[in-house]
Amino acid sequence: MEVPDAVERVLLNEEMIRARVGELAAQISADYADVEDLVLVGVLKGSFIFLADLARRLTVSHHVDFIALSSYNRGAISPGAVRLIMDTRTSVTGRHVLIVEDIVDTGHTLEYLLRNFRARKPASLRSCVLLSKPERRQVEVEADYLGFEIPDLWVVGYGLDYADRFRTLPYIGALKREACE
Ligand code: IMP
Ligand code: MG
């Protein structure tokens, strides 16, 4: 697999990701074995590949839905402010909700999501996140299911982007500093 110039190094290769996603799917399948109505809520766009791989390895029945967010994290308007720009197609009230997200960075997004979904009165609410950058945390929030902890680097691939690029690289790579400027 060719690595673009902007990618400094591969942090997690396809095999590492595949193995960990399998472990997460096994754990989630065990934990939700007796649950009737599990709905995976993927956060667009970053989670689309992770969600597709995870969902196909679950052995419990489930539905898939999506939301989309707009965040002003790196903008001047209001740091950490998150806005819902597309909601789920179906109501999650009374259902078992598992939010599927690509990465927890400052924690503002996941904190917002949990608060927003808790207000909808689901039967239960948990989160499954592929990556976490613990050094960057500004609000105390942790995923219930976490793939990997990574250092404070901008990562791309496997759904994650930089300016909407690099999403479909099959591995997770760290961008060169100069590529993020
Ligand atoms: P938080 O609100 O700071 O935790 O940011 C979470 C969101 O920022 C994620 O859902 C990603 O969309 C984006 N993000 C944070 N770090 C990265 C990264 O290294 N690569 C790609 N997207 C990232
Ligand atoms: Mg995201």
Side-chain angles (χ1 to χ4, degrees), residues 43-44 46 101-103:
V43 184
L44 294 173
E101 172 65 315
D102 54 358
I103 187 165

Side-chain angles (χ1 to χ4, degrees), residues 87-128:
D87 208 347
T88 54
R89 287 290 182 97
T90 52
S91 165
V92 300
T93 304
R95 303 168 77 190
H96 294 270
V97 174
L98 183 63
I99 291 172
V100 180
E101 172 65 315
D102 54 358
I103 187 165
V104 191
D105 186 25
T106 63
H108 287 289
T109 304
L110 185 59
E111 200 254 351
Y112 166 85
L113 285 171
L114 293 172
R115 195 162 14 92
N116 182 298
F117 275 80
R118 203 170 293 122
R120 304 172 188 219
K121 308 255 178 289
S124 70
L125 178 62
R126 285 184 188 161
S127 62
C128 177

